[in-house]
């Protein structure tokens, strides 16, 4: 193995550079992994654009650090691991593995209570110097990481989709969907499509997809939506009211990160309905809270990361339940990272964009 590798390094908003850096050296209980694929997601794009909070901004809580290799949804092959790490994770050299996007501290109150996805230090790959990400030829899985084997039969970009799919499934779990529910999913990007597939697996009465792009709505149908509404040309509120005898949807899952999707959801829900927010917003969003309280007494729930959902996500990918060839639209070499970011930013030419460092 060479002593250096290519990696994308974040130097600040809109300043990502392809550099030659040392190959990391694993410590006790850690694994050195050759990265096969790394997805680019909306939060990566918001970090690149400066909407994610950086250290050094005195007016905002810090979230991202400079000098870090980005990339938090990935798959790779173990090339070096000691006996301690192999025993802990049940893996060995040559195994294909994914790692959950957060590396918990296992000491804070959240970790001690099994809520590791809300770990207080919150070291997510690709955002903190302690946990460099996967836009590189090699990366380290720290000893505290959560690691899962991934099927070798899946194309690398498909296997890396375990991360967004686990996030989608966690949002579905937060919704508490029942058999009689009418479930509305806002957004048919990677997160929304995973929500649709996860909601369909709960066997509700209807899964309704909302989007602006006809091609993404067609993809939503193949993921399990039985109703697909183009909100540019169709009146979603009238369609859902007609579907529910005028009451409104039981569950609304927000996966766009667009401010307009928030009041849309509050208005589409029936009284005592459930709103689940997963989207990452680039700015603050204001709504009429009277709708939530006095008007409808809604349950409003957040969803963050994909805790305890990774094995289910891997099984779903392995089952072929999702049209992954059509979801994973672009795979690019690491040197084309800027093209990848631009594709995600355009929002119209791609669904899931991945880089293939190896």
């Amino acid at each position: 193995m060479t002593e250096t590798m290519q990696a994308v390094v974040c130097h600040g908003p809109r300043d990502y550079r392809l550099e030659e850096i040392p190959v990391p050296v694993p410590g006790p209980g850690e694994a050195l992994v050759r990265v096969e694929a790394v997805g680019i997601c909306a939060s990566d794009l918001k970090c690149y654009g400066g909407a994610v909070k950086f250290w050094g901004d005195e007016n905002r809580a810090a979230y991202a650090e400079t000098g870090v290799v980005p990339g938090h949804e990935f798959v790779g092959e173990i090339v070096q691991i000691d006996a301690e790490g192999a025993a802990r994770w049940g893996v060995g050299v040559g195994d294909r593995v994914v790692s959950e996007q957060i590396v918990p501290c296992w000491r804070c109150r959240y970790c001690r209570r099994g809520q590791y996805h809300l770990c207080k230090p919150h070291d997510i790959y690709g955002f903190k110097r302690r946990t460099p990400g996967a836009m590189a030829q090699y990366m380290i899985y720290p000893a505290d990481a959560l690691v899962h084997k991934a099927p070798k039969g899946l194309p690398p970009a498909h296997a890396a989709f375990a991360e967004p799919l686990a996030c989608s499934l966690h949002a579905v779990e937060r919704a508490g969907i029942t058999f009689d529910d009418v479930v509305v999913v806002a957004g048919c990007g990677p997160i929304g499509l995973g929500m649709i597939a996860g909601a369909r697996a709960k066997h509700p009465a209807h899964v309704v997809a909302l989007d602006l792009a006809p091609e993404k709505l067609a993809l939503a149908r193949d993921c399990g939506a039985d109703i697909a509404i183009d909100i540019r040309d169709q009146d979603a509120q009238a369609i859902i009211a007609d579907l529910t005898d005028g009451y409104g949807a039981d569950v609304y899952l927000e996966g766009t990160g667009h401010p307009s999707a928030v009041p849309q959801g509050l208005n589409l829900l029936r009284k005592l309905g459930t709103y689940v927010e997963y989207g990452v917003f680039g700015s603050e969003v204001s709504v009429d809270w009277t709708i939530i309280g006095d008007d409808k007494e809604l349950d409003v729930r957040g969803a963050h990361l994909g805790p305890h959902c990774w094995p289910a996500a891997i099984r779903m990918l392995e089952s072929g339940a999702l049209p992954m060839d059509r979801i994973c639209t672009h795979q690019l070499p690491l040197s084309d990272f800027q093209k990848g970011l631009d594709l995600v930013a355009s929002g119209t030419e791609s669904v899931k964009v991945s880089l293939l460092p190896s």
Side-chain angles (χ1 to χ4, degrees):
M1 185 193 307
T2 59
E3 294 182 357
T4 63
M5 65 177 183
Q6 283 194 324
V8 177
V9 179
C10 168
H11 289 273
R14 299 194 176 278
D15 187 7
Y16 283 25
R17 307 172 199 171
L18 186 67
E19 299 180 359
E20 197 80 12
I21 67 173
V23 173
V25 177
E30 298 183 334
L32 178 65
V33 175
R34 179 179 62 83
V35 181
E36 296 182 67
V38 51
I40 302 175
C41 89
S43 60
D44 290 317
L45 189 67
K46 289 181 171 70
C47 185
Y48 172 75
V52 169
K53 305 162 191 175
F54 275 86
W55 291 99
D57 184 341
E58 295 179 358
N59 299 315
R60 309 179 77 185
Y63 183 76
E65 296 177 348
T66 55
V68 176
V69 176
H72 62 275
E73 51 182 72
F74 48 80
V75 66
E77 179 185 347
I78 295 176
V79 295
Q80 186 178 337
I81 191 169
D82 63 14
E84 178 189 342
R88 183 192 317 107
W89 295 322
V91 298
V93 171
D95 281 340
R96 175 186 261 187
V97 284
V98 293
S99 180
E100 298 196 24
Q101 60 281 79
I102 191 167
V103 180
C105 73
W106 302 116
R107 294 180 298 278
C108 70
R109 68 178 291 175
Y110 301 109
C111 286
R112 292 198 308 269
R113 295 178 182 187
Q115 301 156 335
Y116 64 87
H117 61 301
L118 296 171
C119 171
K120 187 172 174 144
H122 222 72
D123 292 335
I124 294 181
Y125 288 108
F127 292 97
K128 301 287 186 70
R129 295 192 188 102
R130 289 190 294 266
T131 47
M135 291 188 190
Q137 291 176 295
Y138 295 90
M139 68 182 298
I140 294 290
Y141 287 4
D144 285 333
L146 290 150
V147 176
H148 308 275
K149 284 187 181 180
K152 288 195 173 183
L154 292 175
H158 297 192
F161 197 76
E163 192 274 349
L165 184 54
C167 293
S168 301
L169 297 183
H170 176 53
V172 169
E173 286 196 333
R174 291 282 288 158
I177 294 168
T178 65
F179 295 132
D180 292 330
D181 283 345
V182 172
V183 180
V184 177
V185 177
C188 298
I191 292 293
L193 294 172
M195 288 174 172
I196 289 165
R200 174 49 60 204
K202 297 287 187 179
H203 301 288
H206 295 286
V207 178
V208 182
L210 308 181
D211 205 281
L212 300 166
E215 63 276 11
K216 289 186 178 179
L217 288 167
L219 193 52
R221 287 187 179 277
D222 289 339
C223 289
D226 55 288
I227 300 170
I229 300 174
D230 186 334
I231 59 174
R232 292 175 305 179
D233 304 324
Q234 298 173 278
D235 186 338
Q237 191 149 2
I239 293 170
I240 291 167
D242 185 61
L243 189 68
T244 60
D245 295 326
Y247 287 101
D250 301 283
V251 173
Y252 180 86
L253 295 159
E254 200 293 298
T256 71
H258 194 282
S260 66
V262 181
Q264 172 183 261
L266 300 179
N267 289 318
L268 288 176
L269 283 167
R270 63 165 170 81
K271 294 178 181 179
L272 300 174
T274 299
Y275 179 112
V276 179
E277 181 56 64
Y278 189 86
V280 178
F281 295 96
S283 60
E284 293 181 356
V285 180
S286 297
V287 297
D288 180 0
W289 276 76
T290 304
I291 300 172
I292 298 168
D294 190 55
D295 289 357
K296 293 187 175 181
E297 197 174 323
L298 299 176
D299 279 342
V300 178
R301 302 177 182 178
H304 178 60
L305 305 185
H308 311 293
C309 291
W310 283 69
I314 292 167
R315 290 196 302 270
M316 187 175 284
L317 290 171
E318 197 170 19
S319 74
L322 291 162
M324 292 305 301
D325 285 334
R326 293 166 57 210
I327 293 174
C328 294
T329 52
H330 293 77
Q331 294 89 53
L332 306 171
L334 191 63
S335 57
D336 283 348
F337 75 91
Q338 188 62 58
K339 179 180 177 182
L341 289 165
D342 293 343
L343 277 167
V344 177
S346 75
T348 58
E349 303 172 60
S350 65
V351 181
K352 171 51 66 178
V353 179
S354 301
L355 303 175
L356 307 180
S358 298

